Amino acid sequence: MKVNKIIYWIATVLIAAQFSFSAMMYFVKHDYIKSAYINLGFPIWIIHPLATAKIFALTVILIRQSKVLKEWAYAGLFFNALLAFFAHLMIQDGQYVLPAVALITILTSRIFDDKMFKVVKV
């Protein structure tokens, strides 16, 4: 049980660090992110809503108050990382490693979240 808890928290902290940094970059280095989105072929109007959604998803995952919202948060982060992975892979800019790491840590956190916080019905 203790190993599961350690794996869960390591994966969850890695997710929080990566997506917090990403959201911060969207606000602080907007011009850099804007040029990256143009290079990837994404609309630039989505930068701020996506940053806000990342922060909201991390908050929901860390607080763990609503199972439904938590599932949506994991799904949103997963699809964001999946889209980033394939977008970077398609334009061959070599930036696909961090999204790949994010995919692995999201799946690990989600799997061990289920093991750690499973509700036992009596």
Side-chain angles (χ1 to χ4, degrees):
M1 184 63 121
K2 189 155 180 113
V3 173
N4 289 349
K5 193 176 210 178
I6 292 169
I7 293 171
Y8 167 76
W9 281 111
I10 288 173
T12 305
V13 166
L14 287 174
I15 292 169
Q18 188 171 8
F19 282 95
S20 295
F21 179 75
S22 170
M24 180 195 67
M25 289 290 290
Y26 284 22
F27 290 117
V28 175
K29 299 282 188 180
H30 184 73
D31 291 334
Y32 173 77
I33 298 299
K34 184 177 173 182
S35 67
Y37 266 58
I38 290 169
N39 190 31
L40 290 168
F42 294 150
I44 59 171
W45 61 265
I46 200 155
I47 294 172
H48 287 115
L50 187 57
T52 306
K54 287 179 180 185
I55 293 167
F56 179 70
L58 291 173
T59 304
V60 168
I61 289 171
L62 292 172
I63 292 175
R64 298 182 302 116
Q65 290 296 314
S66 170
K67 183 175 172 116
V68 173
L69 284 179
K70 185 177 66 173
E71 293 300 320
W72 278 90
Y74 273 117
L77 294 179
F78 176 80
F79 286 116
N80 177 261
L82 188 66
L83 178 64
F85 175 78
F86 281 111
H88 288 292
L89 195 63
M90 292 311 226
I91 68 164
Q92 299 177 358
D93 65 355
Q95 303 265 337
Y96 58 86
V97 175
L98 283 178
V101 170
L103 286 169
I104 292 167
T105 55
I106 291 165
L107 290 173
T108 303
S109 176
R110 172 61 189 89
I111 290 166
F112 281 89
D113 177 85
D114 199 35
K115 289 181 180 183
M116 291 295 304
F117 306 108
K118 191 177 233 180
V119 177
V120 179
K121 294 185 179 183
V122 180

